[in-house]
């Protein structure tokens, strides 16, 4: 019997979601008060995070709890590396700094032991990218004239329409208990995943030169 786990997961993470989506850096970036270098800084953190997330996802791809969610079309790491190369060429900036919070996040991903914990991070990042994330891509083009060749991280054309994809993802979440998954472990780790994302957004503010801050 499917559960209503996807609704419980969404409701359990709703408060911290609102908190994280309103962190100063992301608001300033999305409202055009920063610059392309600030976007490249965010992408530099994502490169470290998605590298680990996708390494672990391929390790767990045959696990009965995680396998229904494993989908190479979601992979972002290679796209992020390409986008950064384009941005750094335009900005003439060599490597940008990686925040301690980003290293902690990647460390957490590298130490995950269960498919449920991995699924919590998979959900937090990819369903987020397929939701508010798509707005980020559009706003970076509008505010900072970043070209599509440097915004391929937000191109999910391979999966088709996003709403049916997200609905199917949520239906699979409702099946997790039936495949032996521990729903409470996913809830707890999803809260941690949001917290780690929030810490990254807090810390990268320190790398914004005061001249480009609003
Ligand atoms: C940048 C600011 C953000 C905006 C404007 C935003 C906006 C949204 C919106 C409108 C939805 C609902 C989509 C739907 O009903 O299908 C959503 C869902 C979601 N967002 Fe965000 N978001 C932001 C940041 C984030 C961040 C930083 C994360 C995680 C790190 C995140 C993770 C998620 C997740 C996991 C969902 C799916 C919730 C569910 O249906 O279970 N969002 N977001």
């Amino acid at each position: 019997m499917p559960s209503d786990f996807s609704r419980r997961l969404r409701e359990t993470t709703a408060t911290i979601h609102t908190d994280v989506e309103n962190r100063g850096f992301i608001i300033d970036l999305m409202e055009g008060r920063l610059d392309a270098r600030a976007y490249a800084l965010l992408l530099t953190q994502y490169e470290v995070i998605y590298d680990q997330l996708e390494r672990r996802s391929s390790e767990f791809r045959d696990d009965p709890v995680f396998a229904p969610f494993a989908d190479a079309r979601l992979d972002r790491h290679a796209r992020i590396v390409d986008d950064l190369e384009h941005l750094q060429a335009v900005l003439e900036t060599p490597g940008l700094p990686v925040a301690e919070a980003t290293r902690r996040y990647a460390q957490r991903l590298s130490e995950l032991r269960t498919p449920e914990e991995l699924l919590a991070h998979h959900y937090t990042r990819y369903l987020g990218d397929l939701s508010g994330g798509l707005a980020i891509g559009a706003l970076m083009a509008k505010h900072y004239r970043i070209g599509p060749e440097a915004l391929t991280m937000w191109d999910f054309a391979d999966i088709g329409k996003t709403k049916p994809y997200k609905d199917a993802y949520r239906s699979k979440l409702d099946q997790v208990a039936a495949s032996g998954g521990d729903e409470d472990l996913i809830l707890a780790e999803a809260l941690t995943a949001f917290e780690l994302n929030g810490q990254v957004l807090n810390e990268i503010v320190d790398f914004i030169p005061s001249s480009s801050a609003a």
Side-chain angles (χ1 to χ4, degrees), residues 6 9-10 13 17 20-21 26 30 46 123-125 127-129 131-133 135-136 166 170 193-194 197 201:
S6 61
L9 180 54
R10 185 187 175 107
T13 56
H17 176 268
V20 172
E21 78 173 305
I26 206 85
M30 292 180 76
Y46 285 166
Y123 158 84
T124 302
R125 280 308 329 168
L127 245 61
D129 292 339
S131 305
I136 296 180
K166 289 195 286 185
R170 293 182 185 118
F194 272 97
N197 276 282
L201 295 174

Side-chain angles (χ1 to χ4, degrees), residues 10 127 130-131 134 156 159-171:
R10 185 187 175 107
L127 245 61
L130 290 169
S131 305
L134 299 180
F156 284 93
I159 67 165
K161 289 197 166 29
T162 52
K163 184 166 182 332
Y165 190 91
K166 289 195 286 185
D167 292 344
Y169 193 103
R170 293 182 185 118
S171 306

Side-chain angles (χ1 to χ4, degrees), residues 36-42 44-45 84 88 91 93-98:
R37 182 186 175 282
Y39 176 63
L41 189 58
L42 180 64
T44 300
Q45 316 311 306
L84 271 174
Q88 281 162 349
L91 298 173
T93 57
L96 289 163
V98 175

